[in-house]
């Protein structure tokens, strides 16, 4: 899951980015709305954490701009503005959740998972695909009832595939979803993660569509 954070408080922003990365998220953090807007125009984020008291333009202005462009990425407002009317304004402006600072990183992660599940039409906490069961919150997988030990990156790739069961995912899109801007990526990183998922779960878990990318294997092949 790739997250965009727009937060001008450097101490808080760095803490959120480090904490979410430790929980397996790919995170890009910017200190003003213009930078976040530019990143959003070129990157397929799964969710946005948005501060309201930004330099220059208020966070609500950026939120309104994104929604006017039919940008459907879930937005979670994280702010010190704790009045009831302020919360109502934020939610009515298009936010998917509204949280008051300070917040534990683990709760923020849970909120992000929840808004992304809703946006994908997958409210269930356990995802099932054939004989594979996966719990995103706990990052745990069961294959035919037996636990499978996965790395954080393998979990992220598995979540991406399970979230798009009918779609062929191009390699560049997978890279954008799994890695933040500042991270170095080996040219064969995606192939390595795919290989590990096939080895640990089943060779038919991931289909290679030559010249296009990768897709989740059919349910009938994974029983």
């Amino acid at each position: 899951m790739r997250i965009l954070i727009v937060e001008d408080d450097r101490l808080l922003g760095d803490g959120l980015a480090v904490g979410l990365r430790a929980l397996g998220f790919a995170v890009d953090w910017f200190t003003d709305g213009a930078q976040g807007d530019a990143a959003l125009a070129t990157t397929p984020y799964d969710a946005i954490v948005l501060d309201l008291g930004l330099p220059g333009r208020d966070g609500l202005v950026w939120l309104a701009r994104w929604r006017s462009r039919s940008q459907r990425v879930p937005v979670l407002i994280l702010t010190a503005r704790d009045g009831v009317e302020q919360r109502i304004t934020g939610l009515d402006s298009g936010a998917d959740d509204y949280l008051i600072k300070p917040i534990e990183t683990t709760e923020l992660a849970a909120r992000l998972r929840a808004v992304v599940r809703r946006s994908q039409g997958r409210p269930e906490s356990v995802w099932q695909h054939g004989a594979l069961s996966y719990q995103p919150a706990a990052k745990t997988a069961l294959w035919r009832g037996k636990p499978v030990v996965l790395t954080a990156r393998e979990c992220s790739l598995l979540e991406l595939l399970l979230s798009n069961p009918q779609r062929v995912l191009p390699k560049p899109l997978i890279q954008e979803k799994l890695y933040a801007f500042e991270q170095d990526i080996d040219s064969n990183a995606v192939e390595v993660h795919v290989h590990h998922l096939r080895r640990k779960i089943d060779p038919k878990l991931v289909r290679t569509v030559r010249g296009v990318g990768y897709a989740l294997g059919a349910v009938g092949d994974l029983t």
Side-chain angles (χ1 to χ4, degrees):
M1 192 181 301
R2 189 164 179 179
I3 305 300
L4 170 63
I5 297 177
V6 186
E7 169 61 64
D8 68 321
D9 184 315
R10 294 186 178 276
L11 184 61
L12 175 59
D14 182 65
L16 292 175
V18 170
L20 289 176
R21 286 171 188 149
L23 294 172
F25 294 83
V27 180
D28 295 318
W29 164 45
F30 298 98
T31 56
D32 68 65
Q35 293 175 327
D37 186 54
L40 183 58
T42 60
T43 308
Y45 290 105
D46 295 289
I48 302 169
V49 178
L50 176 65
D51 181 29
L52 296 185
L54 298 172
R57 292 179 177 151
D58 191 85
L60 288 176
V61 175
W62 291 111
L63 176 58
R65 174 175 293 189
W66 297 334
R67 293 309 188 222
S68 70
R69 295 175 184 163
S70 298
Q71 181 58 260
R72 300 180 182 275
V73 178
V75 174
L76 189 156
I77 289 175
L78 181 60
T79 180
R81 300 177 190 174
D82 58 357
V84 173
E85 290 300 323
Q86 292 168 316
R87 298 185 197 193
I88 292 172
T89 298
L91 293 169
D92 285 346
S93 296
D96 297 87
D97 203 348
Y98 193 107
L99 299 177
I100 306 301
K101 300 175 183 176
I103 186 173
E104 292 290 334
T105 306
T106 49
E107 180 184 354
L108 177 60
R111 298 271 189 165
L112 286 169
R113 288 191 294 266
V115 297
V116 171
R117 283 200 307 269
R118 292 197 297 269
S119 72
Q120 295 172 345
R122 298 197 68 158
E124 66 273 14
S125 59
V126 178
W127 298 355
Q128 193 76 32
H129 190 80
L132 174 66
S133 297
Y134 181 72
Q135 189 172 356
K139 305 292 183 185
T140 56
L142 295 176
W143 172 244
R144 293 173 178 162
K146 297 181 179 180
V148 180
V149 179
L150 300 175
T151 67
R153 202 76 70 187
E154 290 161 4
C155 285
S156 296
L157 176 55
L158 182 58
E159 289 178 23
L160 181 59
L161 291 166
L162 290 170
S163 298
N164 298 273
Q166 307 298 326
R167 183 180 177 190
V168 178
L169 300 172
K171 178 180 173 180
L173 175 62
I174 296 174
Q175 290 176 325
E176 290 180 334
K177 289 287 191 178
L178 299 188
Y179 295 92
F181 284 127
E182 73 276 9
Q183 292 177 296
D184 294 327
I185 308 173
D186 292 336
S187 60
N188 67 337
V190 173
E191 287 83 356
V192 170
H193 297 318
V194 167
H195 170 73
H196 289 166
L197 284 181
R198 287 169 171 163
R199 177 174 57 83
K200 291 181 178 182
I201 299 177
D202 190 277
K204 296 180 181 178
L205 177 69
V206 186
R207 295 188 296 113
T208 299
V209 181
R210 296 194 180 279
V212 182
Y214 297 96
L216 189 64
V219 171
D221 293 333
L222 296 167
T223 57

